[in-house]
Amino acid sequence: MMKKFISVLFFFLFSFSSHGKDNYTPEQLIDKAKAFVAAKNARQQPNTTIKEIENYISLLSDDFIDEHVKFKFTYTDKAKLREDMINKLKDEVIHSSIEVNEIMVGANVVFVKMTESGKVKPSHIDKTIEYSKTNIVSLEFDKSGLVKHIRRHHG
């Protein structure tokens, strides 16, 4: 299963690298991916404010697609995304962290394998949830350097 997934990743990397004149360098893409992960991590901390949410949203293009593949759910509306993130501020976050395990780069696309872990008590339930999952996220960037498509492959 993992070999098949890696093969698909390489296919995407090479297919994306065959077109597009305004490609970012691998170093630029890695920096953009790290900035995205840092912003994602900052928006789910015990002391997160609307400022961190706005910083995260500022990395997205106006016509972004945020696709949660496993759950067959997609965001395309910044106002709805902002509203949902602000509502999550009601949750009690005990701790949350993201560790980048690996980064693969193609033409204007980055694949990030990361382990997300945390302990959260959602405001709408009476129990605390602890999690640690390794996920793969692809980030496609537009010509202005903003994220235009996120594909989340949850572990």
Side-chain angles (χ1 to χ4, degrees):
M1 178 73 170
M2 187 54 116
K3 287 182 183 180
K4 183 185 266 188
F5 185 73
I6 290 172
S7 296
V8 170
L9 285 179
F10 279 118
F11 170 76
F12 278 116
L13 286 174
F14 291 120
S15 66
F16 286 126
S17 65
S18 65
H19 60 281
K21 296 177 193 161
D22 300 323
N23 294 339
Y24 295 97
T25 67
E27 294 79 18
Q28 290 171 317
L29 290 168
I30 289 169
D31 288 345
K32 289 179 178 304
K34 287 180 178 177
F36 174 85
V37 171
K40 179 178 177 0
N41 194 37
R43 68 172 177 81
Q44 52 195 23
Q45 295 301 314
N47 59 349
T48 294
T49 66
I50 292 175
K51 179 182 173 187
E52 287 82 21
I53 291 170
E54 291 300 331
N55 180 55
Y56 176 84
I57 290 173
S58 75
L59 300 176
L60 307 176
S61 68
D62 288 339
D63 59 346
F64 81 102
I65 299 169
D66 184 355
E67 184 180 358
H68 297 252
V69 176
K70 179 178 180 179
F71 302 112
K72 296 177 177 30
F73 180 81
T74 302
Y75 275 106
T76 56
D77 181 350
K78 281 187 178 182
K80 176 66 174 148
L81 178 62
R82 180 180 290 110
E83 177 186 329
D84 288 352
M85 287 181 174
I86 290 171
N87 283 334
K88 283 189 162 235
L89 291 177
K90 298 173 189 169
D91 296 348
E92 178 188 352
V93 178
I94 294 117
H95 70 85
S96 179
S97 69
I98 301 174
E99 177 186 342
V100 174
N101 308 111
E102 190 175 347
I103 297 178
M104 293 173 48
V105 178
N108 293 349
V109 66
V110 179
F111 293 91
V112 181
K113 180 180 176 184
M114 59 188 163
T115 300
E116 299 182 60
S117 58
K119 189 173 185 179
V120 179
K121 185 193 171 298
S123 62
H124 64 284
I125 61 175
D126 289 333
K127 69 177 187 173
T128 301
I129 298 171
E130 199 160 356
Y131 61 92
S132 181
K133 293 281 184 184
T134 299
N135 301 314
I136 295 175
V137 174
S138 67
L139 304 170
E140 295 176 42
F141 296 92
D142 66 11
K143 290 180 182 182
S144 61
L146 298 173
V147 178
K148 69 178 181 178
H149 199 155
I150 306 166
R151 285 187 183 89
R152 301 171 191 265
H153 300 274
H154 298 271

